[in-house]
Amino acid sequence: DAKTTQPTSMDCAEGRAANLPCNHSTISGNEYVYWYRQIHSQGPQYIIHGLKNNETNEMASLIITEDRKSSTLILPHATLRDTAVYYCIVRFPNAGGTSYGKLTFGQGTILTVHP
Amino acid sequence: SAVISQKPSRDICQRGTSLTIQCQVDSQVTMMFWYRQQPGQSLTLIATANQGSEATYESGFVIDKFPISRPNLTFSTLTVSNMSPEDSSIYLCSVGGQGLHTQYFGPGTRLTVL
């Protein structure tokens, strides 16, 4: 799996957009970008994933650069409940093989949302 | 989505003893995964558990220390054997989603070894 680089921590005001960057310059053509978050004392939670195009769901938006070497997770209106560690993971999808189900977690970004 | 429960949610154990952690999923899944999260650290995969076969362990983890059972498609156990304070961690169970892209995690078992 490609290595990712994320800032250690970020702050955001409640109600504002939180933009979390991730660098993955060694990503290969068939690897996807996944975002998970871990709220304190809980297991990680899947947020969103993408291959090339920008993606949006009810939780967030994912912007992937044209060269796919970096991406940004956007929480459009951050709330206090969005305070968590956010992990950017680059890997092949769960299509079998020895990498099935193996998520390699880095240190992630600690996002703190302030009132 | 898959709903995963774990028991116990937390425990405090004495060194040299063993603890078995249970993981229950609300749907049948082929593969279940056990992760460890040491204090202040990120998650590390311990092993993959398939029903009807031996678990596959990642580098640095051995069956004698972390024996795993997988008696059916909705249940698995992880035992932490002969515990030492270095085993104090959160242990999480995980399963893949129905599609290719999602992974679900249980709430974790917080283990403290004295």
Side-chain angles (χ1 to χ4, degrees):
Chain A
D1 295 345
K3 183 178 179 180
T4 61
T5 304
Q6 300 178 248
T8 302
S9 63
M10 295 183 66
D11 291 338
C12 179
E14 189 177 21
R16 305 297 291 267
N19 298 293
L20 291 89
C22 179
N23 287 323
H24 32 78
S25 59
T26 60
I27 190 170
S28 69
N30 296 323
E31 287 184 305
Y32 284 71
V33 180
Y34 296 85
W35 283 84
Y36 283 76
R37 73 180 182 183
Q38 187 174 24
I39 296 171
H40 183 62
S41 297
Q42 297 183 22
Q45 175 190 24
Y46 164 84
I47 301 173
I48 198 168
H49 73 275
L51 180 62
K52 295 180 181 178
N53 300 320
N54 299 337
E55 303 288 345
T56 295
N57 63 19
E58 65 277 4
M59 290 183 68
S61 294
L62 174 60
I63 308 298
I64 302 174
T65 58
E66 191 170 348
D67 64 6
R68 301 208 326 121
K69 293 184 177 182
S70 65
S71 61
T72 301
L73 177 74
I74 301 173
L75 307 180
H77 305 288
T79 71
L80 298 179
R81 288 175 293 182
D82 291 321
T83 293
V85 180
Y86 287 77
Y87 297 101
C88 170
I89 300 170
V90 173
R91 65 186 295 267
F92 296 101
N94 277 345
T98 58
S99 66
Y100 184 92
K102 295 181 183 179
L103 297 180
T104 301
F105 289 86
Q107 292 305 306
T109 296
I110 301 171
L111 174 68
T112 304
V113 181
H114 298 285
Chain B
S1 66
V3 177
I4 304 172
S5 60
Q6 290 185 229
K7 290 181 180 179
S9 59
R10 60 177 61 226
D11 206 342
I12 301 173
C13 301
Q14 297 297 319
R15 83 168 57 218
T17 62
S18 298
L19 176 71
T20 295
I21 301 167
Q22 299 179 5
C23 176
Q24 180 76 51
V25 189
D26 68 342
S27 58
Q28 295 184 338
V29 293
T30 304
M31 303 172 79
M32 297 176 76
F33 308 91
W34 288 98
Y35 283 79
R36 180 177 74 180
Q37 188 170 28
Q38 294 178 298
Q41 301 297 314
S42 190
L43 286 81
T44 302
L45 180 65
I46 298 172
T48 301
N50 290 332
Q51 194 267 336
S53 64
E54 295 239 347
T56 304
Y57 290 83
E58 297 299 304
S59 176
F61 298 96
V62 295
I63 187 171
D64 290 346
K65 177 66 177 178
F66 298 101
I68 288 171
S69 79
R70 183 77 202 276
N72 58 53
L73 293 174
T74 63
F75 187 80
S76 177
T77 67
L78 170 77
T79 298
V80 186
S81 303
N82 188 24
M83 289 183 287
S84 67
E86 292 70 35
D87 295 318
S88 297
S89 297
I90 299 173
Y91 293 86
L92 300 105
C93 175
S94 176
V95 303
Q98 286 191 338
L100 300 177
H101 298 290
T102 52
Q103 194 95 355
Y104 299 102
F105 288 81
T109 295
R110 183 180 296 271
L111 170 62
T112 302
V113 183
L114 302 178

